[in-house]
Each structure stands twice: as C-alpha cells, then as structure tokens.
Amino acid sequence: MPARQLPRWRRAFAEAVGSGLLVTAIVGSGAAASRLTPDDVGAQLAYHSIAVAIALAVLIAVFLPVSGAHLNPVVTVLAWWRERRAPGAAADAGCYLAAQFAGGSAGAVVANVMFELPTVALSSTARTGVGQWVGEVVATAGLVLVIGALSRTGRTGAIPLAVGGWIGAAIWFTASAAFANPAVTVGRVFTDSFAGIAPAAAPAFIAAQFGGALLGAALVRLWWPDRSSSRKERHVRT
C-alpha cells in the first residue's frame, strides 16, 4: 500500500479516475483505430498498443505519489497481502477495489459516448480458449514481475515506463491482447467495439489474471526476496 498521507477517500478517488482513464484510453484507441484503418487489423492493433502503452505509463506517473497507482485489482490484492497486518490495510484494499471496478466501467461508457457508440452495450466479442487464457497468465505474471523487481531493487522511478512498455508489447505477443487487469476486463464488457469482451468470457480471463499474479509474485519472491525472508534463509543455513 502507498504511504497514507492523504485521506483514504482521496486515494480511492484517484484509483477510480486512473482506472477510468485507462479504460477510456483502451476502448477509445480501439474505436479510433477501427475507424482510421477499417481494413487493416494490423494497423489497428499498432495504433491501439501505442496509445495504451503511453496512456498507462502517464497515468502511473501521475497517480504513483497519490495512491500508489495500482489501477489494477491484482496489484491491490498483492499489496494488501504483503501489508495485511498494517492498520487500515484491509479497508484501503476494499476501497481501492471498489474504485477500480467502478472507474473502469465508467471509463468504457465515456469512450462509448465520445465515439457515438451505444452508451452501454454488452460486448459480443467472444474471447475464449486455452491460448487466450495462457496469454492472460503470461501478461499478468510479467506485469507483477516488472513491478516487483523494480520495487524491491529501489527503482520505482522506472515503473511507469516499464509497465507501459510491458503491456504495449504484450498486446502484440499474447493471444489475448494482454488485458492483465480484472477491472479493465469488467469495463471492456460494457462496449461492443474493437476492445470489448463478451460477459461470458470475462470470468475465465479474470481467473487467469489472478493465476498469473500468483505466478509473478512467486517469481519475485524467488529472485528478489525481501529482507525478512533473507534473514530467515540465513538463519536456516547457519
């Protein structure tokens, strides 16, 4: 969890706005790309991935000193687990999760309105299959690995660009196009556009994302153990 200099409601509001703007960037860039190059799916994906990578990096840089810029329920859950004994950690996590899901859904509505799509329309895009689920595991595990590695080695200033770069690349090299975020997944249910995902497909994506988060967290702990873990290991060896 971030340092608690601001009241919880202000930090949660930052998570809602950040998550909303992220989904707006995802849905909006997909809609714009579809209109600019309607017959070239490769170009659509290129425009979309560049816009998402830049928007994500900027949003993390903006909200990092405010709320920690989780903007993702898997990041919040892992942060809560790490600091679960700290006073207020559970309340922070609960508020963050509610804000992220609400903000993500609102962000899709905003993008729909901007591009004169139906304000709320459930997606008809079926995203399913082992390949796509594995893609979500890989994308989310890599996301957690990037954040954990940079956090534990004192390079938090590199997180915005590194996370934006990872997701921008993973949009291309994963079969699922790297949702890697349950709040984003739920938000994308509410747009029947380039970026949408059918409601029936969302639960499997979310399950894969949490599975990937656990894998990423295990790798972080293996390669960059925290100080308490290091002390325990030294005690066992002696």
Side-chain angles (χ1 to χ4, degrees):
M1 292 292 173
R4 296 174 175 84
Q5 294 94 345
L6 291 176
R8 181 178 295 127
W9 74 266
R10 291 190 182 183
R11 289 180 279 120
F13 185 52
E15 286 293 301
V17 172
S19 299
L21 290 173
L22 175 57
V23 175
T24 298
I26 291 168
V27 175
S29 64
S34 297
R35 294 183 181 182
L36 289 170
T37 55
D39 301 319
D40 190 339
V41 177
Q44 292 173 15
L45 193 62
Y47 300 148
H48 172 68
S49 63
I50 292 169
V52 171
I54 294 172
L56 180 56
V58 170
L59 289 170
I60 293 173
V62 168
F63 291 109
L64 191 61
V66 180
S67 66
H70 294 188
L71 312 182
N72 189 331
V74 301
V75 176
T76 295
V77 169
L78 291 175
W80 164 77
W81 179 255
R82 185 174 176 81
E83 299 190 12
R84 61 192 180 279
R85 294 183 180 87
D92 279 356
C95 290
Y96 275 32
L97 292 172
Q100 289 157 1
F101 281 108
S105 299
V109 172
V110 170
N112 288 339
V113 170
M114 284 197 300
F115 286 90
E116 299 181 346
L117 300 169
T119 303
V120 178
L122 296 182
S123 176
S124 58
T125 303
R127 301 178 187 264
T128 187
V130 173
Q132 299 212 41
W133 301 331
V134 171
E136 284 303 289
V137 171
V138 170
T140 312
L143 172 66
V144 171
L145 185 63
V146 168
I147 295 171
L150 295 177
S151 296
R152 293 200 178 193
T153 55
R155 294 176 290 165
T156 54
I159 287 176
L161 285 177
V163 169
W166 171 259
I167 293 299
I171 287 173
W172 280 94
F173 71 74
T174 62
S176 63
F179 285 44
N181 184 326
V184 166
T185 303
V186 170
R188 292 169 70 163
V189 164
F190 297 106
T191 180
D192 194 16
S193 64
F194 175 92
I197 179 172
F205 262 52
I206 292 171
Q209 289 156 5
F210 276 105
L214 292 176
L215 174 59
L219 293 175
V220 170
R221 189 173 178 82
L222 173 66
W223 291 325
W224 299 279
D226 58 25
R227 293 179 181 177
S228 61
S229 297
S230 298
R231 286 196 296 267
K232 290 177 183 177
E233 289 177 4
R234 286 195 296 270
H235 179 72
V236 169
R237 287 197 295 269
T238 56

